[in-house]
Structures are given as structure tokens and as C-alpha cells.
């Protein structure tokens, strides 16, 4: 079984305890791919996935993302493009 872990730095494993490392340690018989990228927002992740089309086949995908959009709006900082509303994705 192949599982994709998709998201931001929380998926990647920074800071602190890596969820990805916990999964791989607990389930060594399953192949996990860490596709986490620090600073990712919903919009930038959507763009990245549209471009890559997940070239590898996965049986299951975990998606863990969202807090960077909130922080960017609160702190008025924008490392990655932030989505304004759900229509912007389509």
C-alpha cells in the first residue's frame, strides 16, 4: 500500500514531532511519501498538485493544510498566494 501525506510544514514534520515519522515507525509495512512543503497555503498547494498531477499512484492520501492561510491574513504576511474564497480554486 502507498500513502501520500500532502500539506504544509506540519505534514513535512516541522517543528517538533513529525506526524510522518510516527506513521512510518508505527506502520513499517506501508510505503508513505512525505509531500509536505513549508509555507504552503490552500491555493499554493492546489497549484502544486495541478502541475504535478501526483505522478505516482497512491492507494490513499492524507491532506493536512490550512493554518498558513489564517496566519497570512492575521499577520498581513504572504509567503505563498492565499485563496480569497472557494471559487478561486475552480
Amino acid at each position: 500500500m502507498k500513502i501520500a501525506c500532502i500539506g504544509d510544514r506540519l505534514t513535512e514534520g516541522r517543528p517538533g514531532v513529525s506526524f510522518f515519522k510516527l506513521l512510518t515507525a508505527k506502520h513499517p509495512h506501508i510505503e508513505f511519501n512525505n509531500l509536505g512543503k513549508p509555507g504552503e497555503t490552500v491555493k499554493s498547494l492546489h497549484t502544486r498538485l495541478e502541475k504535478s498531477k501526483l505522478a505516482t499512484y497512491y492507494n490513499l492520501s492524507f491532506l493536512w493544510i490550512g493554518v498558513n492561510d489564517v496566519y497570512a491574513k492575521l499577520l498581513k504576511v504572504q509567503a505563498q498566494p492565499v485563496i480569497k474564497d472557494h471559487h478561486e480554486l475552480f
Side-chain angles (χ1 to χ4, degrees):
M1 176 179 271
K2 291 176 74 171
I3 298 176
C5 298
I6 306 165
D8 55 18
R9 74 180 163 89
L10 298 174
T11 304
E12 185 199 37
R14 287 192 273 160
V17 177
S18 170
F19 178 66
F20 181 80
K21 287 182 182 176
L22 291 173
L23 282 173
T24 56
K26 188 164 178 97
H27 304 284
H29 58 286
I30 297 175
E31 181 182 341
F32 291 94
N33 286 355
N34 192 341
L35 303 175
K37 181 180 174 188
E40 198 83 280
T41 62
V42 172
K43 185 175 182 177
S44 64
L45 174 66
H46 181 264
T47 301
R48 179 166 60 113
L49 292 177
E50 280 292 310
K51 287 180 182 176
S52 72
K53 297 288 184 193
L54 287 181
T56 306
Y57 172 79
Y58 295 100
N59 301 98
L60 182 66
S61 297
F62 288 112
L63 178 64
W64 190 11
I65 192 163
V67 297
N68 289 322
D69 294 85
V70 175
Y71 288 142
K73 287 180 181 181
L74 288 175
L75 300 175
K76 300 188 186 327
V77 185
Q78 190 172 339
Q80 299 284 340
V82 176
I83 188 168
K84 292 178 179 65
D85 61 46
H86 71 282
H87 297 292
E88 197 171 334
L89 287 176
F90 306 103

